[in-house]
Amino acid sequence: MIQESIAQLKAEIESAQISDASSLEAYRLKYLVRKGIIAELFEQMKTVPREEKPRIGKLLNELKQLAETKFEQAKSQFAEQSDDTPTLDLTLPGRKPFLGSEHPVQKVLGDMKRIFFGMGFSEATGPEIELDDYNFTKLNFPDDHPARDMQDTFFIRKGDGEDIVLRTHTSPVQIRAMLAQKPPLRLIMPGKVYRNEAVSARSLCVFHQLEGLYVDKGVSFADLKATIYSFAKQMFGSDVNLRFRPSFFPFTEPSAEVDITCYLCGGKGCRVCKHTGWLEILGCGMVHPNVLRNCNINPNEYSGYAWGMGIERTTLLRYGITDIRYLLENDVRMLEQFE
Ligand code: DAH
């Protein structure tokens, strides 16, 4: 009886098809485990008559050997493609590496340029290391104006009659442009500026401004207003409201500061706008006759308007960012949100 079972199992094992990892496992469970068929036959050895034991035992050992050898062979064959090798799905989209993104300040500058180019402005630039004469004097700053103080200005050279500064605003590019070209002039002048100020959530000691200048015959404050209105609606959305507040700058007369309705509360008043409903976006005005004169332009013949705005400040407003320092720290967790 047991002999027949052994012969039958032998034939079964020899012809067993092991074609993959799961049929290998099924084979193991059937023949090789402690409660498998072969182990069961070993159990039955107890009932085999004594004189038969050596012969049957030998057959049984051979059977076990056969089963194990077959298992080992099949196992090594599947080793390379075993369960823990992940199956490759060629239809999956590839993993995209983060290649970097445009900095939000550059994005906003790009939008500003597009808007003003669309209105016929061209771009001009000037040096960041600037003559004190262009940064202050030709812009009609009196000699004792507080903006010239060591507190605000980084001086490169001071006291020998030809002071050199890190420009504190982009307005000196107006002077360079008017000295170099005859009107009409219609320019935007973006760039980096520097101020000797403590860094905080609201101010940095280096930031960007975009300056604008339009000089021609018969330019009026109405032209300035129309330009700023058009810009603000394109930049912040068509439902934004504006207000012009009287202000003072040495290089413009009259001067104004422009506010837009708060992006957060829509003008009702909240924490961001300090409960005023308004947020300041720029300073502007009609170019002071002294400034035109300093650049050899006759103020009786020509007039002009100018404005200056902080690009970081606009970026904060645009994206609702609450701390200006995020824009300088280059933390990838921040930057990758602007892809
Ligand atoms: N230069 C000024 C500043 O940095 C901003 C400014 C105000 C520029 C009025 C202008 C202007 O051209 O007309 O605060």
Side-chain angles (χ1 to χ4, degrees), residues 168-171 174 195 209 211-212 249 251-252 283-285 306-308:
T168 59
H169 51 179
T170 43
S171 303
Q174 288 189 37
R195 285 191 199 168
Q209 284 187 334
E211 191 85 10
F249 301 102
F251 37 91
T252 45
C284 62
W307 78 86

Side-chain angles (χ1 to χ4, degrees), residues 19-277:
S19 54
D20 56 22
S22 70
S23 54
L24 179 68
E25 181 61 3
Y27 174 94
R28 188 182 71 85
L29 292 173
K30 184 166 181 191
Y31 301 109
L32 300 180
V33 292
R34 218 145 41 82
K35 296 213 162 130
I37 299 180
I38 295 175
E40 211 175 282
L41 289 179
F42 273 102
E43 265 313 290
Q44 288 178 28
M45 279 295 284
K46 286 183 217 144
T47 63
V48 172
R50 212 191 152 104
E51 60 281 12
E52 285 287 299
K53 269 190 177 145
R55 196 173 59 83
I56 302 291
K58 189 165 172 267
L59 287 176
L60 204 48
N61 274 324
E62 281 168 3
L63 180 73
K64 190 181 174 204
Q65 197 64 52
L66 173 76
E68 281 173 354
T69 309
K70 181 150 180 157
F71 176 77
E72 289 306 328
Q73 278 170 358
K75 190 174 158 188
S76 63
Q77 194 186 327
F78 296 128
E80 291 114 61
Q81 31 177 295
S82 68
D83 309 339
D84 47 19
T85 312
T87 34
L88 184 61
D89 182 352
L90 293 172
T91 65
L92 282 174
R95 280 197 200 94
K96 215 169 98 199
F98 176 59
L99 292 176
S101 56
E102 198 178 21
H103 193 280
V105 168
Q106 288 301 320
K107 254 191 186 1
V108 168
L109 173 57
D111 290 343
M112 289 177 172
K113 284 189 186 181
R114 224 168 294 125
I115 293 169
F116 287 114
F117 289 164
M119 290 193 247
F121 286 81
S122 320
E123 183 174 350
T125 53
E128 290 169 26
I129 297 172
E130 184 58 282
L131 297 171
D132 179 281
D133 185 42
Y134 288 5
N135 194 80
F136 295 123
T137 312
K138 283 198 165 45
L139 284 165
N140 201 35
F141 279 81
D143 279 342
D144 57 356
H145 194 283
R148 293 173 182 250
D149 275 6
M150 296 292 282
Q151 274 171 9
D152 297 314
T153 308
F154 288 115
F155 285 90
I156 300 282
R157 200 161 90 191
K158 189 165 168 59
D160 64 356
E162 221 196 19
D163 292 354
I164 294 176
V165 301
L166 287 180
R167 67 180 179 193
T168 59
H169 51 179
T170 43
S171 303
V173 191
Q174 288 189 37
I175 302 295
R176 288 179 175 271
M178 288 190 281
L179 287 173
Q181 286 165 251
K182 294 241 163 307
L185 278 152
R186 204 200 300 248
L187 296 171
I188 53 168
M189 297 154 273
K192 242 182 233 161
V193 304
Y194 301 83
R195 285 191 199 168
N196 193 358
E197 269 177 31
V199 172
S200 73
R202 294 170 61 85
S203 63
L204 298 172
C205 53
V206 51
F207 56 99
H208 295 78
Q209 284 187 334
L210 184 128
E211 191 85 10
L213 175 70
Y214 179 33
V215 182
D216 203 348
K217 288 178 177 158
V219 176
S220 72
F221 202 94
D223 298 320
L224 169 62
K225 273 187 100 170
T227 305
I228 299 302
Y229 259 96
S230 173
F231 162 74
K233 302 250 168 191
Q234 291 180 68
M235 188 76 198
F236 299 104
S238 55
D239 50 352
V240 79
N241 275 325
L242 277 80
R243 75 173 179 189
F244 284 67
R245 270 184 294 111
S247 185
F248 173 81
F249 301 102
F251 37 91
T252 45
E253 181 60 35
S255 306
E257 280 173 307
V258 177
D259 301 337
I260 57 166
T261 38
C262 177
Y263 66 87
L264 196 65
C265 62
K268 285 191 209 80
C270 70
R271 198 176 44 84
V272 169
C273 59
K274 300 210 183 82
H275 304 283
T276 63

